[in-house]
Amino acid sequence: MSLFDILKGLEENESAHLGRILILLNEFSGRGKNAEIEGLTKLAKLDFLLRYPLYLEKALCAEGKNLKQAKVKDHERKSVESKMVRFRYGPWDFRYRKFINTLVGMGLVSIRLEGRSYNLSITSKGIDLANKLLDVHSFDDIAERSKVIRRYFNLSGTSLMRFIYKTFPEIGTLQFGEEI
């Protein structure tokens, strides 16, 4: 099996995406009034920083923080495990609605509608599963980076979107649907 086939398999592995999103939601849960992620736009931006550790490293640099917190591995400097595209408000994966609906259907995530935004929070069943995933060492980088993202980039969806466009102006020059 070629490296291309392995990477393609990772891209198509829905379970890996669901696990990553669940760990990210778990990191943002249980912290008072900020116990949910306010909207899919914010989720997409947080997930962008999680999926693209080189961009997380650049974001940390832009904030004057220690770059080593991103813990970018050599192989991550040469490839992206799961690509996103540019959409209306920046980085996006057209499968988010499917991923969220799957997590809701499994009872792992709940949605609260506020105006036109879908606020996402993890359920107690989701927390239990996330904690089990955290015991699997293949999720260590995701868990550590999720903590860094919460610590430095837990902004409103709009502020996070502005930060992404300001810090990574090259994303704004991409056509809608073009891979990042």
Side-chain angles (χ1 to χ4, degrees):
M1 181 178 283
S2 73
L3 179 60
F4 173 79
D5 291 331
I6 292 169
L7 292 174
K8 184 175 183 240
L10 290 172
E11 174 68 21
E12 294 170 355
N13 184 346
E14 188 171 298
S15 297
H17 293 288
L18 295 175
R20 184 189 67 251
I21 291 170
L22 197 61
I23 289 171
L24 184 61
L25 283 166
N26 186 56
E27 184 57 38
F28 280 79
S29 71
R31 289 164 178 79
K33 67 180 185 115
N34 296 325
E36 58 187 12
I37 292 180
E38 305 86 12
L40 292 177
T41 298
K42 181 173 179 177
L43 173 70
K45 303 313 160 265
L46 296 170
D47 192 40
F48 165 72
L49 293 171
L50 190 54
R51 285 164 103 164
Y52 289 82
L54 289 176
Y55 280 102
L56 175 57
E57 191 176 66
K58 290 176 187 176
L60 289 167
C61 180
E63 292 294 293
K65 306 300 179 193
N66 184 345
L67 305 182
K68 291 182 181 181
Q69 293 178 85
K71 297 184 179 180
V72 180
K73 308 281 190 284
D74 287 338
H75 72 274
E76 292 173 317
R77 295 192 182 282
K78 298 175 183 131
S79 68
V80 174
E81 181 176 305
S82 179
K83 295 189 184 304
M84 296 178 82
V85 298
R86 182 195 176 209
F87 196 52
R88 289 185 188 123
Y89 304 108
W92 186 257
D93 186 325
F94 287 105
R95 299 170 294 176
Y96 280 130
R97 292 188 196 288
K98 177 183 177 184
F99 295 155
I100 296 305
N101 286 333
T102 299
L103 291 168
V104 169
M106 295 171 73
L108 304 172
V109 170
S110 64
I111 297 177
R112 185 177 62 80
L113 184 62
E114 185 174 313
R116 294 181 355 169
S117 291
Y118 294 96
N119 295 346
L120 308 167
S121 59
I122 193 168
T123 65
S124 58
K125 183 178 175 183
I127 291 169
D128 290 343
L129 181 56
N131 287 331
K132 288 177 184 171
L133 291 174
L134 292 173
D135 288 337
V136 178
H137 293 295
S138 60
F139 285 101
D140 286 351
D141 290 338
I142 290 170
E144 287 302 313
R145 290 176 185 149
S146 292
K147 289 176 185 176
V148 170
I149 291 166
R150 181 181 50 82
R151 186 177 311 126
Y152 298 118
F153 304 105
N154 190 9
L155 311 169
S156 72
T158 301
S159 295
L160 193 54
M161 178 185 64
R162 288 183 183 135
F163 174 80
I164 297 284
Y165 278 129
K166 178 183 170 199
T167 308
F168 313 112
E170 65 274 17
I171 291 174
T173 66
L174 299 173
Q175 298 295 314
F176 283 174
E178 189 174 348
E179 284 186 356
I180 296 173

